[in-house]
Amino acid sequence: MMQTTSTSQNMQPLMQPQPSGDPRYSAAAIAAAPGLTAWPVAVWIHAARMLRRWSRSTTILISSVAMPAMMMAVVVIMFRGMIEQFSGKPMDLPGMSVMIAVTAMLSGALTNAGSTVRERHEGLTDRVQTFPGRPSASYIGRILAESIRSFIAAPIAMIVALMFGADFGSPIAALRVLLVMLLTAIASGAFGVMMGYLAETPQGAVSAAPLIMAAMFFNTAMMPRDLYAPALRPIVDASPMTALAELAQEAIAGRINASHIGMFALWFGGLGVISIVVVTLKARRRS
């Protein structure tokens, strides 16, 4: 009987959320937050815990930092000469950097979605829900962390593009491009979190990867529209990458076309809103 009690006592800590080792990211820090700021504080604490854990992961650091740089360099080295020879125009390096950045964002978000599925099956996300505060704080905190991780790809791809001779205009123009990429990163982060909570297997969480790869090759940043076969041009026109590349070009030039803003909002704004709504409904069902 004493042995059974001892075993039960030894197992009890495993059923509780494990402390992070830093009181700033603990359940006590969430509980101590003032009433009006409790939810934002809880969101940030959950996001900071994830960012802190990811900063210790070599795999995530490589996918977040090295992958966009390598993808940008490989595309320019392998395809620049061919594209310029066929089109008779210089490669759109700013547009290419934007395309590479968003591809890296979405690919990384889906990879982390697979990790979220594994955490759900292991019960980690359920243990996190026992923290003080609203259940939605952990979901939104995960979106915030994923958005920050995704955004890292944007300045890295732009810096590599600059090394190859890209012209982003003035520093203010480059900041406008980064603002567009920040909005894209939020949509990417929300999409990755949604997939992590909807999919039942890690493989299912990355099921959208082929669509991302296809969008990478059918857009005006990769080649001018006229170089695509007539049957493919409607696909190129409707591509989310085309919408992003066109908006980035206009951000550099300092003039914005309402139709391009609308297309960007339709693709990435719609993706972000749908993902956040789905995640929020998921949180409400668990509350």
Side-chain angles (χ1 to χ4, degrees):
M1 186 69 173
M2 294 179 59
Q3 183 178 0
T4 302
T5 303
S6 176
T7 302
S8 176
Q9 291 175 347
N10 291 336
M11 291 180 64
Q12 186 175 359
L14 299 177
M15 303 302 294
Q16 303 296 328
Q18 299 301 307
S20 64
D22 191 325
R24 294 175 298 172
Y25 311 123
S26 66
I30 298 176
L36 291 177
T37 61
W39 189 81
V41 168
V43 168
W44 172 246
I45 288 175
H46 283 295
R49 289 177 67 250
M50 296 196 65
L51 291 171
R52 189 164 175 260
R53 187 181 70 187
W54 289 345
S55 68
R56 299 171 177 174
S57 170
T58 303
T59 301
I60 292 180
L61 289 176
I62 290 175
S63 66
S64 301
V65 178
M67 188 174 75
M70 293 176 60
M71 288 176 64
M72 186 69 206
V74 167
V75 168
V76 173
I77 293 171
M78 294 186 63
F79 294 102
R80 184 175 190 173
M82 180 186 68
I83 292 173
E84 292 180 349
Q85 181 179 1
F86 283 120
S87 66
K89 300 177 182 179
M91 174 182 271
D92 179 13
L93 289 174
M96 187 66 69
S97 69
V98 166
M99 183 196 70
I100 293 298
V102 72
T103 301
M105 289 179 186
L106 291 169
S107 299
L110 291 180
T111 300
N112 278 354
S115 300
T116 302
V117 173
R118 286 190 289 269
E119 291 176 3
R120 284 170 45 213
H121 293 329
E122 293 169 359
L124 177 60
T125 55
D126 289 333
R127 294 197 293 273
V128 169
Q129 295 302 322
T130 65
F131 275 40
R134 300 177 183 175
S136 61
S138 66
Y139 293 90
I140 302 301
R142 188 178 286 267
I143 291 176
L144 176 59
E146 187 61 53
S147 299
I148 294 172
R149 187 210 60 78
S150 295
F151 180 70
I152 294 173
I156 291 175
M158 291 172 65
I159 290 171
V160 176
L162 284 170
M163 295 171 61
F164 282 100
D167 183 11
F168 288 93
S170 65
I172 298 299
L175 288 176
R176 288 196 294 263
V177 174
L178 285 173
L179 176 60
V180 173
M181 298 309 296
L182 176 60
L183 298 175
T184 307
I186 294 172
S188 173
F191 175 66
V193 173
M194 180 187 71
M195 292 298 294
Y197 281 101
L198 289 182
E200 293 301 325
T201 64
Q203 294 76 13
V206 299
S207 58
L211 296 177
I212 297 172
M213 293 298 106
M216 180 178 175
F217 289 97
F218 296 103
N219 60 81
T220 56
M222 177 61 73
M223 290 192 304
R225 179 181 183 276
D226 295 340
L227 292 183
Y228 288 94
L232 294 177
R233 289 172 190 171
I235 299 175
V236 173
D237 292 339
S239 169
M241 298 295 187
T242 295
L244 185 59
E246 296 289 342
L247 189 59
Q249 288 178 349
E250 292 174 356
I252 293 172
R255 55 180 185 274
I256 303 297
N257 187 305
S259 63
H260 292 152
I261 293 179
M263 186 64 71
F264 174 83
L266 180 64
W267 274 110
F268 293 97
L271 180 66
V273 169
I274 291 173
S275 300
I276 291 174
V277 168
V278 170
V279 172
T280 302
L281 292 176
K282 179 81 172 178
R284 286 182 179 178
R285 284 197 298 267
R286 299 186 65 89
S287 62

